[in-house]
Amino acid sequence: MPVSPFHPPDGYNTWQTCRTWPWGGSEQAPRFDRFDLHYFRTVDRVMRECERLGIGVELIMEAWGFEFPWNSRNIFVAEWEELWLRHLIARYDAFTCLAMWTPMNEYEYYPNGDWHYAPVADRWAMRIGRWIKRLAGHGHIVAIHNGPREPPFAERFVADPGAIDAILFQEWGTREAGDGWLAAGIEETIDAALEGWNSSALFAEWGYERNPDFDLLLPHHEFCDAEHTRRGAWRGAFRGLGIIHGFENSWGPWQRLDEDQPGMAYLLHLRRFFTEIVPFDRVRPAPDVLRDGEYPPGHRPSALATENRGRVAVYLPAGGAVRLSIDATLAHWFDPRTGGVLPTTGDEQEPGQFTAPPGSENGHPWDWVLLLSCT
């Protein structure tokens, strides 16, 4: 609310046919004391349709911080900001489809559109978050979406931790030519950023799956392939976080919405796993069920378990072997690529050690999920 038709370095939203300036005047001569009702009637229709479909909306109140007017606080002064936020809250807070208010996308762009971590952005987020809670009467979540990953959020918001209810956490993992498929480093970054954070968090962004049919408009997307989508999803979920992903087909410049990209099928397998096989709400990260071992970067397994350790799942992002500190009465392999379930071979060399089935795609070892029922 709103988004300009451009994302640097070369992402022009050429599909847009409607203006997205919500105020009076223009970008060159703004009238922040007026609102464009034609613009807001369009947003109203979208919100009513989401209400009808039961879709939850994250309403980002100040879009990208590098865009005008958010990047010009000498023009878009605090009084205009308050009027803008009041209008949004008055217009949309009563919608049940409103899942959360997010003051700014990658809020570290505050105050001038220069993307880097600065304590002043934290102070702004706490002040605005607390102000929204006082003004908006329907109790919707107030969330913050990060750009820079550190310092930890418990440290950033220590002055008023209750001002922010949820972190929409962004971390893309490895995304270069040789390691983009692995999406390595996600777990370690999540652990560091959320250490000590006692409120909620979602793994809200680990890249935008590349569609090679399109020109490369954002270089960071180049090696975010379907394997990156799949492994990033499982890595985030095995840190106990809900997940949200992006695709170039639905990214601003393209909007090819009638075609799913390959990684979508992998996300559906993950959804089935956590709704039909291992209920997501019953498991928590359980590093204690894994014995220490030496692994190449990005290959270390992660574990989830129920409170009584009766049900355990272990994700092996690059296959291989894993050693456990618990005894299992029943074990199976879940295939993140197909959603199939296979029995273990029973030829483990020692109790508590399991070796994933062999195989590779694009020269990369398969990833697997080990399912265990334990006494």
Side-chain angles (χ1 to χ4, degrees), residues 2-7 10-20 39 42 46 64 67 214 217 247-257:
V3 175
S4 75
F6 172 72
H7 187 295
D10 295 307
Y12 291 88
N13 297 358
T14 55
W15 60 272
Q16 282 191 200
T17 58
C18 295
R19 195 159 171 254
T20 58
Y39 171 93
T42 300
V46 172
W64 289 99
E67 299 175 330
F214 300 151
L217 299 185
F247 296 87
E248 280 202 333
N249 280 20
S250 54
W251 185 53
W254 304 119
Q255 296 293 299
R256 185 184 289 180
L257 302 181

Side-chain angles (χ1 to χ4, degrees), residues 61 82 85-86 88-90 93 98-103 124-144 157 160-167 197-200:
M61 305 171 91
E82 179 175 329
L85 297 176
R86 281 183 177 276
L88 295 184
I89 291 170
D93 193 57
L98 184 70
M100 61 188 73
W101 294 110
T102 299
W124 174 83
M126 288 185 285
R127 177 176 62 83
I128 293 296
R130 186 60 69 183
W131 183 87
I132 292 170
K133 288 172 177 285
R134 287 197 301 267
L135 189 66
H138 292 83
H140 297 296
I141 290 168
V142 176
I144 278 294
F157 301 131
D160 188 3
I164 303 299
D165 300 313
I167 305 298
W197 179 250
N198 293 320
S199 294
S200 298

Side-chain angles (χ1 to χ4, degrees), residues 143-162:
I144 278 294
H145 176 59
N146 71 293
R149 283 64 161 161
E150 293 190 56
F153 292 97
E155 176 183 323
R156 298 190 195 192
F157 301 131
V158 66
D160 188 3

Side-chain angles (χ1 to χ4, degrees), residues 17-352:
T17 58
C18 295
R19 195 159 171 254
T20 58
W21 179 253
W23 291 281
S26 68
E27 294 88 338
Q28 292 77 22
R31 289 293 306 274
F32 293 126
D33 58 341
R34 299 184 180 185
F35 295 108
D36 185 319
L37 296 184
H38 175 73
Y39 171 93
F40 277 102
R41 279 194 288 268
T42 300
V43 180
D44 294 346
R45 288 196 298 270
V46 172
M47 293 293 285
R48 286 195 293 270
E49 182 67 1
C50 291
E51 195 97 306
R52 185 184 71 82
L53 295 172
I55 294 174
V57 174
E58 175 207 354
L59 201 151
I60 303 173
M61 305 171 91
E62 296 194 14
W64 289 99
F66 59 73
E67 299 175 330
F68 184 80
W70 325 119
N71 62 355
S72 300
R73 297 288 168 164
N74 59 325
I75 298 173
F76 190 69
V77 295
E79 289 79 6
W80 295 138
E81 178 177 51
E82 179 175 329
L83 180 62
W84 167 253
L85 297 176
R86 281 183 177 276
H87 182 80
L88 295 184
I89 291 170
R91 200 169 189 109
Y92 300 117
D93 193 57
F95 278 86
T96 56
C97 68
L98 184 70
M100 61 188 73
W101 294 110
T102 299
M104 179 180 285
N105 183 60
E106 296 183 11
Y107 77 99
E108 298 94 343
Y109 276 116
Y110 179 88
N112 59 6
D114 181 12
W115 191 91
H116 69 283
Y117 173 71
V120 68
D122 297 336
R123 296 185 66 82
W124 174 83
M126 288 185 285
R127 177 176 62 83
I128 293 296
R130 186 60 69 183
W131 183 87
I132 292 170
K133 288 172 177 285
R134 287 197 301 267
L135 189 66
H138 292 83
H140 297 296
I141 290 168
V142 176
I144 278 294
H145 176 59
N146 71 293
R149 283 64 161 161
E150 293 190 56
F153 292 97
E155 176 183 323
R156 298 190 195 192
F157 301 131
V158 66
D160 188 3
I164 303 299
D165 300 313
I167 305 298
L168 301 176
F169 187 68
Q170 173 181 189
E171 163 56 35
W172 290 33
T174 52
R175 55 180 187 268
E176 301 302 323
D179 56 15
W181 64 276
L182 191 54
I186 286 173
E187 301 95 327
E188 293 81 359
T189 307
I190 288 174
D191 291 349
L194 298 181
E195 182 179 7
W197 179 250
N198 293 320
S199 294
S200 298
L202 287 168
F203 189 33
E205 186 174 338
W206 68 93
Y208 287 78
E209 185 173 318
R210 177 85 176 103
N211 187 335
D213 291 343
F214 300 151
D215 293 335
L216 181 63
L217 299 185
L218 192 67
H220 293 323
H221 293 188
E222 184 172 6
F223 302 109
C224 291
D225 58 10
E227 289 191 71
H228 186 278
T229 293
R230 186 179 71 241
R231 288 182 172 85
W234 286 93
R235 290 181 188 278
F238 265 71
R239 278 305 187 261
L241 303 182
I243 60 169
I244 306 168
H245 192 44
F247 296 87
E248 280 202 333
N249 280 20
S250 54
W251 185 53
W254 304 119
Q255 296 293 299
R256 185 184 289 180
L257 302 181
D258 58 348
E259 174 189 281
D260 284 335
Q261 291 180 243
M264 174 58 74
Y266 297 143
L267 299 186
L268 296 179
H269 296 323
L270 181 143
R271 181 182 185 276
R272 173 175 162 264
F273 179 87
F274 281 116
T275 56
E276 299 179 14
I277 298 174
V278 177
F280 188 69
D281 62 319
R282 293 180 53 204
V283 293
R284 299 289 184 273
D288 58 289
V289 307
L290 303 173
R291 292 187 185 177
D292 290 335
E294 295 294 328
Y295 298 95
H299 289 226
R300 181 175 294 278
S302 299
L304 295 171
T306 54
E307 186 175 2
N308 65 359
R309 299 299 189 262
R311 191 72 162 150
V312 175
V314 181
Y315 179 60
L316 288 72
V322 61
R323 299 173 67 229
L324 308 178
S325 61
I326 56 175
D327 295 325
T329 56
L330 189 63
H332 292 84
W333 291 103
F334 179 87
D335 188 344
R337 299 170 309 285
T338 66
V341 179
L342 304 175
T344 54
T345 60
D347 60 356
E348 288 72 32
Q349 297 179 356
E350 61 178 274

